[in-house]
Amino acid sequence: LKQHTSSSPCPIAYVHQPAASRALAMNMMAAQQFGSAAAMPVAWQGWSYVPMYTQMAPFQQQPLVSQPEMPILVNAGAGQPAGQDLGVPFPGVEAVAPRRRLRILCYGDSLTVGFCCGGTVLEPYGKAMSEQLLSAGIDARVSVCGLSGKTAAEMVTAIDGSMVDVIGLQGKGLARALQEDGPFDLVLIMAGTNDMACGSGQDCLLLNLYRLHSVCHGRGVPTVALAPPTAPGSGMEREVARHHFVELLRGMARAMPGVAAFQDPSDVLAPAERRLWDVDGLHFSPAGSCVLGRELANLTMNLVAVHG
């Protein structure tokens, strides 16, 4: 991936437009400047946004481009001097080779990609996480893969392949992302909200999350387990069930040596603070994603300080 150094804002990065209009604008600009949507970097306020997905043109049945999916790249280290080696070894996984840049992957569903306003706005928490790390002087690159509408079960099924999410974007399975876009020093996984909505049993959901974390640990990459957050628009029954599952996931995280930390986003994003939530009562608002991203940056900095 080549770093894009333009400092001027681009009107198609997180444009508040209908999804079809945004996709068409992206495809047109890509064709003019880069030859394909998959190869098009977008500069926005000093960080790079490279589409992780093969964009689907709204007027075609087939993908406009045939290149492999590219990761969304949030480059916190742009223009910064290289710092000390920031490999992040943890107990239970083989330490990765030290590198000057900390490489992080945020993997999950629509909550990871920052889906809000019906999918017309995407504000991943990885953006604020990247900016917070930069402000602390840490040279880091944060990649984001959020597959809207996908369950943990579907992520496991497609772990070596790819998936098309509910807004027509195609992203990689976790093992494939690790293989093709790594190496990574840390992977944050947040999935399970869609499984709960589909009525999946909690034991089955826990097993699928175990498998997602395990595929990282098997490659020597530690993980952070993020629980499915509360949904302010749902009833008490859903929250009681979620709370029970959070405790199951917390126990799994403690039992897996490769899990470096556990975080329930609801401990950071209070359901009563409406500004932190989308109007659908399920997804984070852009402000909510920013708050979570900063908290996870602080968590990451603590891990680096403790584990070297």
Side-chain angles (χ1 to χ4, degrees), residues 104-255:
I104 301 168
L105 172 63
C106 304
Y107 196 87
D109 51 29
S110 57
L111 294 164
T112 295
V113 80
F115 179 108
C116 66
C117 300
T120 62
V121 177
L122 301 178
E123 182 74 19
Y125 70 78
K127 173 180 176 290
M129 183 181 185
S130 170
E131 293 169 345
Q132 183 80 352
L133 291 170
L134 173 60
S135 68
I138 294 180
D139 186 19
R141 183 165 64 180
V142 178
S143 302
V144 174
C145 178
L147 299 156
S148 299
K150 292 301 178 182
T151 64
E154 290 172 312
M155 294 176 193
V156 169
T157 298
I159 204 164
D160 293 307
S162 62
M163 293 163 278
V164 177
D165 71 8
V166 297
I167 56 176
L169 302 179
Q170 184 173 345
K172 297 177 183 179
L174 180 53
R176 183 180 169 192
L178 293 170
Q179 178 66 30
E180 297 181 2
D181 303 315
F184 293 101
D185 300 292
L186 186 67
V187 176
L188 290 75
I189 299 175
M190 178 164 52
T193 294
N194 295 312
D195 301 75
M196 294 172 63
C198 294
S200 175
Q202 294 193 353
D203 290 343
C204 181
L205 173 54
L206 191 69
L207 177 59
N208 284 322
L209 291 176
Y210 174 88
R211 289 168 173 163
L212 292 174
H213 284 272
S214 293
V215 76
C216 299
H217 303 164
R219 289 166 171 76
V221 184
T223 57
V224 172
L226 300 176
T230 189
S234 301
M236 182 58 66
E237 182 178 353
R238 192 262 189 194
E239 180 58 22
V240 170
R242 188 197 76 88
H243 183 75
H244 180 263
F245 181 74
V246 166
E247 294 310 310
L248 292 177
L249 185 59
R250 192 192 308 273
M252 185 200 82
R254 288 172 177 166

